[in-house]
Amino acid sequence: MTVLEVLALLSIGGIAGFINVLSAGGSMLTLPLLMFLGLPPQVANGTNRVAITLQSMMAVSSFYRMGHGNLVVTLHLAVPAVLGSLVGAWIATWVSDAVFEWVLVLAMIGASVFMLLPQPALNTRPLTPERLGVAIYLAMFVVGMYGGFIQVGVGVLFIVVLYHVLKIDLRQVNVLKVSIVLPFTFAALVVFALNDQVRWGVGLTLALGNVTGAYIATRVNMSERGAQWIKVLTLIMVGAILLRLILY
């Protein structure tokens, strides 16, 4: 890698890490960059998971050090999400690109509508496994299936579902989202690595930028205006995803 390529990976990675932890959609920046640097699309997709996995580890560890993690609830929600991702990945092996685009458009439009709905009346009781009903488990499976199927914007769907089904503060929602994304992404990384579709040097350089952006995002998330940051940035990223689909 040249010095210019390293600087590009670090700077774009930093922006993407911030966006991914505080909302979703940072891969719209990193995937084109990796392909511009000469990686085939599948290898770029696998290599990008290195950065996402490490940024998620940074975010989760930071949240837990600040006393905002919920390991038991996270594990309950992560299991159906990971199972769904395996089903989604299997479906993705035999559908056309046109179906991918339609699913992404409909999912992002639906997510933006839900984000613009009035804030639900928050349930201030402690979030324990007893509050997790059938609806949230099914929702996690469906969102996980979407993520295994297409990945782009899956963080947006996690935010929307957790916010409106569990009725918890957006800052708490974001901590759960990042905690679920970690095992979800790591499982995908293992699959890509076993198929020799990861370039570790490039991925780790990108990850250094992502981790830095993720660290900053955790501080913003837990600030007094964190919930507003999450909502505004999520709507912006939904708009960006839809605009990219329209233009390209």
Side-chain angles (χ1 to χ4, degrees):
M1 288 183 289
T2 66
V3 173
L4 194 59
E5 288 172 342
V6 170
L7 290 176
L9 288 167
L10 292 175
S11 57
I12 298 299
I15 297 170
F18 182 87
I19 292 172
N20 281 336
V21 170
L22 205 59
S23 178
S27 292
M28 288 197 303
L29 301 175
T30 54
L31 280 175
L33 172 64
L34 292 171
M35 287 186 284
F36 177 77
L37 295 179
L39 274 63
Q42 288 180 322
V43 176
N45 194 15
T47 301
N48 190 51
R49 307 303 174 105
V50 177
I52 296 174
T53 298
L54 291 178
Q55 84 182 16
S56 299
M57 290 176 64
M58 162 59 75
V60 170
S61 62
S62 294
F63 284 139
Y64 274 73
R65 283 197 302 271
M66 290 187 283
H68 299 292
N70 193 329
L71 181 60
V72 176
V73 170
T74 296
L75 291 175
H76 275 74
L77 297 178
V79 170
V82 172
L83 291 175
S85 73
L86 296 175
V87 175
W90 174 73
I91 294 173
T93 62
W94 52 267
V95 300
S96 67
D97 290 343
V99 173
F100 276 100
E101 292 182 5
W102 274 109
V103 170
L104 181 54
V105 168
L106 293 174
M108 292 302 99
I109 291 175
S112 61
V113 169
F114 274 102
M115 285 301 292
L116 290 170
L117 289 175
Q119 177 177 314
L122 300 182
N123 188 334
T124 57
R125 292 179 298 151
L127 185 57
T128 61
E130 289 70 32
R131 281 181 56 185
L132 306 178
V134 174
I136 189 63
Y137 288 120
L138 287 175
M140 288 295 97
F141 180 83
V142 172
V143 174
M145 187 164 62
Y146 168 87
F149 180 75
I150 202 167
Q151 183 64 35
V152 178
V154 68
V156 172
L157 299 184
F158 274 125
I159 290 172
V160 168
V161 169
L162 292 169
Y163 185 48
H164 285 277
V165 177
L166 294 181
K167 297 179 174 58
I168 55 178
D169 180 81
L170 273 172
R171 290 179 293 181
Q172 199 177 353
V173 162
N174 217 27
V175 174
L176 274 178
K177 179 208 77 176
V178 174
S179 301
I180 296 168
V181 165
L182 175 54
F184 180 91
T185 305
F186 179 73
L189 174 60
V190 170
V191 173
F192 282 109
L194 290 174
N195 285 277
D196 194 29
Q197 293 179 342
V198 175
R199 297 297 175 264
W200 292 100
V202 176
L204 291 171
T205 304
L206 179 65
L208 184 58
N210 278 58
V211 166
T212 303
Y215 178 81
I216 297 170
T218 59
R219 267 57 189 172
V220 174
N221 182 80
M222 301 316 302
S223 66
E224 290 185 5
R225 296 181 60 83
Q228 191 62 31
W229 266 91
I230 296 165
K231 188 169 187 175
V232 171
L233 187 56
T234 299
L235 288 171
I236 290 173
M237 293 314 299
V238 167
I241 292 170
L242 291 173
L243 185 62
R244 184 170 180 240
L245 286 170
I246 293 169
L247 295 178
Y248 297 99

